[in-house]
Amino acid sequence: AQKITQTQPGMFVQEKEAVTLDCTYDTSDQSYGLFWYKQPSSGEMIFLIYQGSYDEQNATEGRYSLNFQKARKSANLVISASQLGDSAMYFCAMKTSYDKVIFGPGTSLSVIP
Amino acid sequence: DTAVSQTPKYLVTQMGNDKSIKCEQNLGHDTMYWYKQDSKKFLKIMFSYNNKELIINETVPNRFSPKSPDKAHLNLHINSLELGDSAVYFCASSQEGSDTGELFFGEGSRLTVL
């Protein structure tokens, strides 16, 4: 069965510090894609970063990096130099066969000044 | 121009009524989706269409009927609304075969059933 697990319902981080949000996934597909989305309190879904299952290098986008460990089936999001505007829900997602995209339960991140 | 637009943004209605949410994307994408986000923020896929053809139907009650008149539009009609249908419904689109295939989301439609 395809599943995304995010074990941290809520996280706190001090402004300017780095934070890691955990994500593990389960799929029997050989080819898949992993995403992270941010949902601020205003409600919109913002795409952050993508990692393909065959990509050998970890994806990076500005202050976001994805720590991809294929053997462990984990795709953790690292946010460096946290800012107050990073306070939001963060969702890990996976695209598998038939372009089906499933989401994890999310992690609520609060950045403390 | 908004890439993925949904109307209405807010919908308040009584149990038993029928309502529709419309979605349009101007990105030229082949695939469109409907997701339901419940009060605990969990995002559940409901349907996906590829070029007007239904691809995914995730055990959604048949009171929910998606319709895709063309690949730029995917509407959601809900019959006999129930209290449990209260949620935010997101439309999204993606391009098959693109490098990332990320979903582009609409702003969401908040449905409240009284």
Side-chain angles (χ1 to χ4, degrees):
Chain A
Q2 295 168 343
K3 190 178 178 181
I4 296 278
T5 302
Q6 294 178 254
T7 57
Q8 306 151 316
M11 289 279 287
F12 291 89
V13 64
Q14 205 76 38
E15 197 178 3
K16 298 179 188 175
E17 297 290 313
V19 64
T20 298
L21 306 184
D22 293 343
C23 171
T24 58
Y25 60 92
D26 190 18
T27 181
S28 55
D29 288 354
Q30 295 301 308
S31 177
Y32 50 89
L34 297 156
F35 305 86
W36 278 91
Y37 281 83
K38 172 184 177 181
Q39 187 177 39
S41 58
S42 50
E44 72 269 30
M45 294 291 290
I46 302 167
F47 166 72
L48 296 178
I49 197 166
Y50 167 82
Q51 179 85 40
S53 57
Y54 292 116
D55 295 340
E56 294 185 352
Q57 290 203 326
N58 286 342
T60 58
E61 287 287 347
R63 294 186 298 113
Y64 304 108
S65 60
L66 199 153
N67 185 357
F68 180 46
Q69 297 190 43
K70 194 169 181 177
R72 293 186 178 183
K73 293 191 173 178
S74 76
N76 298 340
L77 177 70
V78 180
I79 306 175
S80 62
S82 296
Q83 302 171 356
L84 295 178
D86 293 335
S87 294
M89 282 290 287
Y90 288 82
F91 293 96
C92 181
M94 176 171 64
K95 177 183 272 197
T96 58
S97 47
Y98 302 106
D99 284 345
K100 181 177 177 179
V101 180
I102 60 171
F103 285 79
T107 294
S108 176
L109 178 67
S110 298
V111 180
I112 306 165
Chain B
D1 275 352
T2 305
V4 182
S5 58
Q6 299 178 224
T7 53
K9 290 188 171 43
Y10 299 95
L11 203 49
V12 180
T13 189
Q14 299 285 334
M15 263 196 321
N17 284 351
D18 304 337
K19 289 293 177 188
S20 292
I21 307 171
K22 295 186 176 182
C23 178
E24 176 181 3
Q25 54 96 2
N26 62 8
L27 299 166
H29 287 169
D30 295 321
T31 306
M32 295 185 73
Y33 304 79
W34 278 110
Y35 283 85
K36 177 182 180 181
Q37 186 173 43
D38 62 22
S39 58
K40 295 182 179 177
K41 300 292 188 181
F42 188 70
L43 273 159
K44 184 175 171 11
I45 187 168
M46 300 174 69
F47 302 102
S48 81
Y49 272 73
N50 183 282
N51 269 316
K52 304 190 297 176
E53 184 181 340
L54 178 66
I55 303 298
I56 295 170
N57 182 341
E58 283 287 301
T59 59
V60 177
N62 57 17
R63 297 184 296 104
F64 291 79
S65 50
K67 280 193 173 58
S68 183
D70 55 61
K71 79 171 195 176
H73 295 84
L74 180 60
N75 304 325
L76 183 66
H77 187 76
I78 316 169
N79 290 325
S80 304
L81 278 155
E82 300 177 357
L83 293 176
D85 297 332
S86 294
V88 179
Y89 292 84
F90 282 98
C91 177
S93 71
S94 71
Q95 180 58 41
E96 194 178 355
S98 69
D99 283 347
T100 63
E102 81 223 51
L103 299 186
F104 290 75
F105 281 86
E107 292 180 330
S109 297
R110 181 176 293 277
L111 171 65
T112 303
V113 182
L114 304 174

